[in-house]
């Protein structure tokens, strides 16, 4: 829990899509109406520790944080959310997705996952899922990733399915392997401002008329372009990638 | 900066049709925002103009600042301008790359989020930002009006969290009266005071323990939040802009009594933003709607 | 927060050392009695999500977790802790130590910390402190650790003081550098069952009469022993270390 | 196992004064505990006998189990017996080494803690464990009695969490009547039913949503928790031990009506625990108090 009202998306969270659709909570028999949707969007409670832990904290001699503002005394005067004066805490239910799909550079044969570069929310999203599908550039022997287990992000048992799909992240970037295809994104952005016919033609050529990912990469993208995107050692991306607007 | 020769800069200027002293709207916004970054700050920046301005600050007024991106990046030494928070360019030579949960839950909560750099589609008199929707929240199928929003934007992303955690919030926007209403239609991020304290509508009343200092850097002017009233007030107008221009493009009765002059971008600042931050002019090459409209006339 | 009553040390936490000593909470002027000691040991609340998120979860078709027992319906019948029937949640205040001391293999000149092998609670303990002291085997150039920032555990700004102290973890192990000194621990264990005189002599020889850490390592431990403890590549510890009882 | 030659094993036996069929108390405990591990289990084990038994299980009845240690280790392939949770031997070739918070907060909470292996200083009729103190909690300076505890143990460590999260708990202890009281003096870990359900004193009443299946493996016998009453009952006595021996060393009225025979350790099991798990006999070489006392007589 966070002793700040920061995780709201909106400061008073009035919009509840699932609630409006009647998908929250339990049926009469006690089962969840939808076992993937939590009973509430969130909950407010009075902070049982009265703002303890807010940084900068009232250490004797001051705190070493960079933040300087601390209006906890003002917050303590407010009775918003719960009707009681004092610091409030917001509680958020855990996510329980049925399926998570992530991409990693390397996955071991036993399912151990190692991600390189930015991983954002990927490890957390992966662990909470019922089924985890991991796409990767390369399946490697388990010993390769088990030689330095502290560098791994997910243990073997978490992975349900491994999909080996080199260049499968194209046209996005996969750190240390290849960069995003700048030209693709620019042209795709422009495409979406064109006529319906042109958009339809594009989708026909790129998706309908390609047999599979390999056919798409081979015929539409081409090996030359794929190799132009290979990451520059020491950068993780293609340092000299041209990015014209 | 020393490593960039006059020859290289002159060639760049010639190729792009620029001069050493004239500047575009984007360049002005970047320079004005960068100047607001205190040295030593921990700057949470989104991509686009916020990132551009933070990088410029690092090369000019705030060499000891730490850039933080919500994907988990702390303190990178960027060489190539990232175009999104997941661009691998963003983590080059950073001190740590952790994850999104730790960036807000640990780095920011712990006390290392002093400046937030944000954008928005609407900003109101109390510094509330809307980056979610215009014209009703619900899609047509379930809305009471029978139609969906006119525009749906990308949403908060990390903006709400950054606005909640930071001591000081810098916002860059293109200024038009309809984008600067008295009250935002949808409150995505509480960047400023939120509302009047005497009515129990301030950010502190709603539980935010930090912040309240907001600086709006539009393409016309700079506004600052008044610490007493919480309202955004005119701080200075940009060269070539009149106070009346600003008032006409603001949807509330703007206090202009403390308006000052703005020091135009220096040659050094322009050289840095052009040669060190965005040499490909990925963002600098963009024209604001105002510029585009002016060009068409 | 955890929807289990697991973080208690005791299932009904009746022992409150700080509370007994009167160190919790606020003074009359609103300041904390002790700014390092939270106002409460912990707090119980009614789970606003009624056990949502407990694994195995009631997905349609079942969950993929290894755990099979789920007695949430029995738990829901109980009114322990809060007097209300339902699932309870325990909230624990954050730790706010004034000083944390950790050991890492390498720390960069700028304060960036990378730990190898097991790090247990070290990163969390480090980040919450007001002052962080990092002991290390070696101070290295910042570029060395910044070349792969996803492998680092603490950003540079978190570190207050760096202490370069090779073999400073002796007689404990520092993964990839050296193993623990088995013989030292066995003899130390035996020492503590000996007479007061023998214990006093040992402390005099090892601590009082050694000038500093270097003197201790040089004269009492000896380079020969230190080199016997060097980690075997691929193991992180000394694979052939003799460990007689 | 195949890789260990008869010659090597014979040499080991000779050097240590052991035989292929006879076994020590520690070896018996390790074998009996290992047999209780279901294949495919996720086993949280503390160091000492619990770790020894888990490793043996991996080499015998549960080749597909995953060993987890609270310091953050998941699924190691241990070659050298670790002597503590922070021994680097414990993480050799593991699938992941994360940290302590994630091990309980993510791995165990997520549903990957099926078997817990614990020890204790006291165990009562409902399977509650005390590994904290004997003789009063408070130190002499602040206690009501004016004196501190007789013994202060290492405390819970991860034991309370493991006991709370696991489906099945295996506990190994040396059995004496004073260590098996009706009620533990201090409740460190709820390994079993905790108390009678009809009085609202069960583990579920106190909020634990998993577990309730407890197996006590002492140096005299095996006890199991009765699913109806929650009480530990005699399951089998070890070779050379009588039911009366067990009853005399139990502080409550033990139900012995369902007592069965125990199959002694096989030669294969003994070879595995000796040659693969603890060849240096770091733990196997220890004598229980009972053995030590018997030797002195």
């Amino acid at each position: 829990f966070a002793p700040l009202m920061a995780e709201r998306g909106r400061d008073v969270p009035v919009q509840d899509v699932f609630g409006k659709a009647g998908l929250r909570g339990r049926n009469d028999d006690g089962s969840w109406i939808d076992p993937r949707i939590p009973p509430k969007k969130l909950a407010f409670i009075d902070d049982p520790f009265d703002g303890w832990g807010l940084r900068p904290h009232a250490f004797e001699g001051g705190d070493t944080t960079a933040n300087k503002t601390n209006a906890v005394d003002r917050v303590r005067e407010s009775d918003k959310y719960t009707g009681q004066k004092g610091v409030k805490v917001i509680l958020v239910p855990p996510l329980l997705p049925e399926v998570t799909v992530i991409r990693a550079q390397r996955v071991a044969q036993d399912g151990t996952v190692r991600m390189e570069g930015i991983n954002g929310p990927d490890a957390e999203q992966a662990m909470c899922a019922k089924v985890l599908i991991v796409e990767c550039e390369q399946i490697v022997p388990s010993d390769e990733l088990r030689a330095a287990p502290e560098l791994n992000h997910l243990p073997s048992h978490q992975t349900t399915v491994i999909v080996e799909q080199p260049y499968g992240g194209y046209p996005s970037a996969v750190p240390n392997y290849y960069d995003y295809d700048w030209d693709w994104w620019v042209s795709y952005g422009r495409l979406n401002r064109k006529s319906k016919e042109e958009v339809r033609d594009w989708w026909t050529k790129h998706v309908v008329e390609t047999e599979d990912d390999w056919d798409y990469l081979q015929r539409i993208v081409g090996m030359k372009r794929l190799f132009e995107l290979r990451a520059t050692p020491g950068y993780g991306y293609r340092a000299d990638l041209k990015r014209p607007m | 900066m020393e490593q960039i020769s006059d020859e290289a800069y002159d060639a760049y200027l010639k190729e792009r049709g620029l001069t050493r002293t004239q500047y575009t709207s984007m360049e002005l916004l970047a320079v004005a925002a960068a100047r607001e970054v205190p040295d030593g700050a921990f700057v949470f920046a989104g991509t686009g103009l916020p990132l551009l301005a933070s990088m410029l600050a690092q090369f000019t007024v705030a060499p000891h600042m730490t850039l933080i991106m919500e994907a988990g990046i702390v303190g990178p030494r960027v060489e190539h301008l990232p175009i999104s928070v997941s661009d691998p360019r963003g983590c080059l030579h950073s001190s740590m790359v952790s994850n999104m949960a730790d960036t807000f839950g640990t780095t920011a909560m712990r006390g290392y989020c002093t400046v937030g750099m944000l954008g928005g589609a609407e900003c109101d008199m109390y510094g509330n930002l809307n980056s979610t929707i215009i014209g009703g929240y619900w899609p047509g199928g379930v809305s009471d009006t029978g139609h969906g929003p006119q525009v749906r934007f990308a949403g908060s992303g990390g903006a709400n969290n950054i606005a909640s955690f930071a001591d000081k919030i810098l916002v860059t926007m293109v200024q038009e009266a309809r984008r600067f209403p008295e009250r935002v239609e949808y409150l995505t991020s509480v960047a400023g005071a939120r509302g009047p304290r005497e009515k129990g509508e301030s950010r502190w009343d709603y539980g935010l323990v930090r912040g309240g200092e907001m600086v709006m850097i539009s393409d016309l002017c700079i506004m600052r939040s008044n610490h007493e009233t919480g309202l955004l007030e005119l701080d200075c107008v940009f060269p070539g802009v009149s106070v009346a221009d600003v008032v006409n493009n603001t949807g509330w009765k703007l206090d202009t009594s403390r308006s000052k002059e703005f020091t135009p971008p220096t040659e050094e600042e322009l050289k840095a933003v052009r040669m060190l931050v965005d040499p490909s002019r990925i963002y600098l090459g963009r024209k604001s709607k105002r510029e585009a409209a002016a060009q068409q006339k």
Side-chain angles (χ1 to χ4, degrees), chain A residues 180-234:
Chain A
Y180 48 69
D181 189 346
W182 175 268
D183 297 344
W184 188 96
W185 287 101
V186 169
S187 73
Y188 184 72
R190 289 191 181 134
L191 171 75
N192 285 311
R193 288 187 204 95
K194 290 184 181 167
S195 71
K196 278 199 175 174
E197 288 66 37
E198 282 171 292
V199 172
R200 191 192 300 119
D201 290 348
W202 188 93
W203 281 97
T204 305
K205 183 182 165 208
H206 283 71
V207 178
V208 180
E209 294 177 355
T210 53
E211 216 173 297
D212 53 23
D213 209 48
W214 298 114
D215 187 41
Y216 174 76
L217 292 172
Q218 165 82 31
R219 284 201 300 117
I220 311 290
V221 184
M223 292 305 274
K224 181 166 173 295
R225 183 59 180 163
L226 291 180
F227 273 78
E228 281 170 1
L229 301 174
R230 296 304 294 178
T232 308

Side-chain angles (χ1 to χ4, degrees), chain A residues 1-5 43-48 82 87-91:
Chain A
F1 69 99
L4 272 176
M5 304 284 91
F44 295 108
I45 65 163
D46 294 298
D47 181 354
T82 69
V87 181
K88 309 302 182 303
V89 171
I90 191 165
L91 300 175

Side-chain angles (χ1 to χ4, degrees), chain A residues 3-8 10-11 55 65-69 71 74 78 80-81 120 179-180 235 237 239 243, chain B residues 79-81 87 89 99-100 109-111 113 160-161 164-165 167 187 194 200 204-206 209-211:
Chain A
L4 272 176
M5 304 284 91
E7 302 289 337
R8 295 149 297 138
R10 183 172 186 169
D11 70 343
R55 308 299 283 253
T65 63
N67 278 108
K68 294 302 166 209
T69 50
R74 290 188 184 183
S78 164
K80 283 280 186 301
Y81 304 113
D179 210 336
Y180 48 69
Y235 283 86
Y237 55 90
R243 298 192 292 168
Chain B
E79 286 184 25
H80 306 87
L81 189 66
D87 190 329
R89 284 157 185 76
N99 55 52
M100 206 170 275
M109 282 289 292
R110 170 66 179 78
C113 173
N160 174 286
N161 306 57
S164 300
F165 285 130
D167 293 337
L187 203 176
R194 191 190 183 286
W204 303 287
D205 292 303
Y206 280 85
V209 299
R210 297 185 195 149

Side-chain angles (χ1 to χ4, degrees), chain B residues 96-131:
Chain B
M96 184 172 70
V97 170
S98 60
N99 55 52
M100 206 170 275
D102 273 353
T103 304
F104 288 121
T106 306
T107 305
M109 282 289 292
R110 170 66 179 78
Y112 292 103
C113 173
T114 59
V115 170
M117 286 259 203
L118 302 173
E122 279 189 336
C123 172
D124 71 19
M125 60 204 282
Y126 284 106
N128 298 303
L129 301 180
N130 173 10
S131 52

